[in-house]
């Protein structure tokens, strides 16, 4: 449990974690595969040591060297960077970035505007549902729309999830390409000074948005009930700001104020008022043809940190690194299992190493299945890489 | 420009006839010109092309016209004619493949000038980005004015051939095509299958159906495929040009011209300022001399003692540009941030950022403060309050903010009206006038320029007649604002 975790013990526990639990071998195979055709040592790694000492431009040439580095430096956190034209430990930032997995970072702090159960670094089972929705929507879009096959999902260790796409096309994608995918997936725009952050226009809804809404609909009532988005007068006020038309807003306000503070009840009434309003006011509706959808999206659609995706050489926390603040392992999970993901079932360095803890057995098993899933991922990636090289070679003949 | 035009290069006749070299109005600029040009022509062509590109930029940002709209094109064409650039107007108005002497001469100039500007604009990332964006707009505008026949010739000349998808394939995805392609009459269009990264602009704006990594586009979206190729080719060429700069610049006659070209129009980039501004004066300066975007960030920082990354970058570089030293800057951010965090956390996580802005960390580049163009195009996400307030604020929010500053209702309405039309920089200029009690309609394209102009005024370096009566400051309105917010 998080309660028992003590950050000060980390330096004592990590050497054992790295030698016994961290899947060094398969990890190096994953990186090598992602480096192809450049050698493993061209990849930048970064270590965060005790007291936040930050070491960048570390490079390793094989599994053995990584193990030695782990034991010698004992990094509290491990990050992965890009593949450079030369060995980054020598060339540093003068070297050119050649490749990098396409990555996504989704963090619950970006939901602070909508989530009501927790704030900032806190996270609970209720707000985790946002991550489930995000994971399912992004995963299906990456696979169905962009045709990517090697999509790896990783728990960030505290309050979010990361996604690594290892397909060759994704790895060599340039910055504009990454930016375009990020923008394609990003529907929520605007800062502190804009209340309504989703604008779908009045044309047909794009197929990918329809599909995302289908996913949201599975979870929407659940989340609405738990988050109580419109359950108090303050929240109702914030909700009303999302309605652009004065007349409709007044109608909705009058109707909802009188109702008991159940968000679900209020939501249903809002939709009813909206429906009857739209039948009577064809002209005013042009501006808000998709208002219901827009609000659902503002509440539930994935909020990406798109700068992480756009930046070619942004560092991102490695799978199976320990989160220094929680002690949790950044485990790998399958997108279709996201909905069964339980925060307290995530192995921690403590529960893995200390077999007297209550969760020890369960967590050890969970760690094993996460590693197993990672292995399967790497195997299928290696297979695809081999195929690609073969076709490339025959093309060049 | 001190440029010695008496020394001429020797002229050599063009290889191949002009018709062979320039068969079409629209070019992909794959082959550099090999003829010799006089220094005088070199300079003229360069300046004329900069004027052309500037005209494109003005139409979009300063005039706030929607790119590629009729008004936008109209503005550019008339501007080109007014500037005496008839040959560019000719190339942009209707793109075709005629062979009159005027056609050929125009294409020759277009070709040479493009390559000269590559040398001027390959120097750094900021310049490259500006140049690529403008050249791309130009390319797209010209592509869109082409007749069907001219398009066919263009495709042939550039070896572009594509086959449309079969009717069965189309029928199987027709629902999705109708949903995701923003045109009427989808059923009668032929569709083509290209890789998604060939049409990034369509992907970005969700205007195309994607399946398994392929984009399905109708004929008229081929402009996206071509402009993507154009962009990619140009980006690579600029990188190559940059590597060869050393050779070109052995001729010192060219150095000044090429280096000064962009600045002759864009003005200072404000990365090296000589002024000194003490941080104690920032509160009063933010009211008198900051544009709204910076005033907003300053106030947010004072209020919440924190800014997110985008805000720190935008505001931090601006401060550097107006003359806050690195030491002062560190002290300024430290004093605010440590109100909500301990010193150690600040030093570890944020002081790097500040030093980075001053070119003391990371790649050690001396970063330039952001221009309006950059700020307007920033991505502003939840929790962010950077960007351009005229672009990134709800109307109500902006209205309240302006009224809160004591600006009278009529002036607030004027600003809001301009904002609603999408003329963000014009709105900013209006704000400048109101704050300074003037009516000069300055063209604002950089927050630091705003600041400098304001400082010049307050130091009396510029004398302008004050045209309005004193603005009535109505502070008592502030309390009513929150209620207003809901009635609106």
């Amino acid at each position: 449990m998080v309660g028992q975790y003590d950050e000060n013990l980390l330096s004592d526990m990590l050497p054992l974690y790295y030698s016994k639990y961290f899947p060094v071998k398969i990890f190096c195979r994953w990186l090598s595969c992602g480096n192809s055709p450049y050698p493993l040592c061209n990849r930048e790694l970064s270590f965060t040591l005790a007291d936040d000492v930050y070491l960048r431009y570390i490079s390793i040439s094989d599994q053995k060297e990584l193990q030695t580095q782990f034991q010698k430096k004992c990094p509290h956190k491990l990050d992965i960077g890009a593949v450079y034209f030369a060995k980054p430990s020598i060339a540093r930032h003068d070297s050119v970035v050649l490749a990098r997995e396409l990555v996504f970072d989704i963090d619950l702090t970006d939901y602070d505007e909508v989530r009501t159960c927790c704030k900032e670094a806190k996270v609970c089972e209720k707000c985790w549902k946002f991550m489930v929705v995000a994971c399912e929507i992004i995963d299906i879009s990456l696979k169905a729309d962009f045709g990517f096959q090697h999509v790896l999902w990783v728990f960030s260790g505290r309050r979010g999830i990361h996604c690594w796409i290892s397909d060759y096309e994704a790895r060599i994608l340039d910055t504009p390409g990454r930016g375009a995918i990020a923008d394609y997936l990003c529907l929520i725009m605007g800062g502190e000074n804009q209340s309504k952050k989703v604008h779908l226009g009045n044309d047909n809804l794009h197929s990918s948005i329809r599909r995302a809404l289908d996913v949201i609909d599975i979870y929407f009532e659940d989340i609405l009930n738990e988050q109580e988005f419109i359950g108090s007068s303050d929240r109702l006020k914030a909700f009303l700001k999302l309605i652009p038309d004065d007349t409709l807003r007044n109608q909705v306000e009058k109707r909802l104020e009188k109702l008991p503070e159940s968000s679900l009840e209020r939501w249903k009434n809002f939709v009813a008022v909206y429906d009857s309003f739209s039948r009577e006011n064809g002209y005013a509706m042009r501006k808000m043809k998709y208002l219901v959808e827009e609000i659902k999206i503002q509440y539930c659609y994935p909020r990406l940190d798109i700068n992480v995706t756009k930046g070619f050489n942004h560092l991102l926390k490695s799978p199976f690194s320990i989160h220094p603040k929680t002690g949790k392992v950044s485990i790998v999970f399958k997108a279709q299992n996201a909905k069964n993901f339980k925060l307290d079932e995530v192995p921690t360095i403590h529960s893995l190493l200390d077999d007297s803890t209550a969760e020890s057995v369960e967590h050890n098993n969970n760690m094993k299945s996460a590693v197993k899933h990672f292995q399967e991922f790497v195997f299928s990636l290696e297979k695809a890489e081999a195929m690609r090289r073969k076709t490339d070679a025959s093309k060049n003949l | 420009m001190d440029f010695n035009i008496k020394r001429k290069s020797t002229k050599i006749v063009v290889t191949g006839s002009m018709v062979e070299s320039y068969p079409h109005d629209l070019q992909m600029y794959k082959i550099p010109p090999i003829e010799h040009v006089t220094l005088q022509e070199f300079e003229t062509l360069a300046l004329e092309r900069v004027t052309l590109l500037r005209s494109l930029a003005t139409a979009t940002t300063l005039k706030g016209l929607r790119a590629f709209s009729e008004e936008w094109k109209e503005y550019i064409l008339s501007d080109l004619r007014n500037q005496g650039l008839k040959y560019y107007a000719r190339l942009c108005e209707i793109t075709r493949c005629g062979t009159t002497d005027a056609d050929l001469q125009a294409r020759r100039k277009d070709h040479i000038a493009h390559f000269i500007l590559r040398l001027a604009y390959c120097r750094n990332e900021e310049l490259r980005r500006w140049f690529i964006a403008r050249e791309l707009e130009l390319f797209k505008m010209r592509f869109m004015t082409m007749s069907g026949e001219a398009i066919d010739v263009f495709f042939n000349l550039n070896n572009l051939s594509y086959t449309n998808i079969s009717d069965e394939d189309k029928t199987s995805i027709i629902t999705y095509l109708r949903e995701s392609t923003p045109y009427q009459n989808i059923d009668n269009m032929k569709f083509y299958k290209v890789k998604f990264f060939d049409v990034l602009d369509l992907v970005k704006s969700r205007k195309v159906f994607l399946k398994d990594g392929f984009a399905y586009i109708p004929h008229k979206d081929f402009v996206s495929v071509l402009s993507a190729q154009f962009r990619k080719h140009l980006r690579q060429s600029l990188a190559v040009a940059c590597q060869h700069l050393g050779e070109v610049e052995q001729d010192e006659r060219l150095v000044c011209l090429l280096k000064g070209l962009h600045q002759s129009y864009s003005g200072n980039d404000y990365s090296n300022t000589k002024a000194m501004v003490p941080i104690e004066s920032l509160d009063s300066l933010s009211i008198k001399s900051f544009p709204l975007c910076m005033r907003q960030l300053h106030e947010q920082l004072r209020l919440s003692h924190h800014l997110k990354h985008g805000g720190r970058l935008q505001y931090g570089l601006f401060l550097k540009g107006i003359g806050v030293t690195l030491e002062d800057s560190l002290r300024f951010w430290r004093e605010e941030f440590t109100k909500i965090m301990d010193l150690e956390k600040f030093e570890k996580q944020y002081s790097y950022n500040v030093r980075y802005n001053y070119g003391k960390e990371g790649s050690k580049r001396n970063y330039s403060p952001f221009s309006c163009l950059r700020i307007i195009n920033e991505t502003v996400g939840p929790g962010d309050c950077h960007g351009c307030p005229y672009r990134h604020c709800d109307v109500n929010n902006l209205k309240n903010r302006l009224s809160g500053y004591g600006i009278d209702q009529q002036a607030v309405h004027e600003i809001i009206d301009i904002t609603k039309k999408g003329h963000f920089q014009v709105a900013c200029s209006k704000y400048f006038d109101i704050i300074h009690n003037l009516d000069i309609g300055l063209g604002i394209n950089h927050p630091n320029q705003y600041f400098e102009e304001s400082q010049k005024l307050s130091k009396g370096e510029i004398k302008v007649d004050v045209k309005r009566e004193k603005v009535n400051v109505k502070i008592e309105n502030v309390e009513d604002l929150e209620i207003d917010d809901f009635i609106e």
Side-chain angles (χ1 to χ4, degrees), chain B residues 62-73:
Chain B
L62 230 51
K63 301 284 164 195
L65 302 171
R66 194 163 49 82
F68 311 114
S69 63
E70 278 305 312
E71 311 89 79
W72 183 81
K73 210 181 122 192

Side-chain angles (χ1 to χ4, degrees), chain A residues 144 190 192 194-195 206-207 249, chain B residues 180 208 212 380 384 392 394 488:
Chain A
E192 285 293 87
Q194 284 148 295
S195 306
H206 192 274
S207 313
R249 189 180 327 110
Chain B
S180 308
V208 61
D212 296 330
V380 177
D384 282 336
H392 296 112
D394 283 349
E488 285 291 339

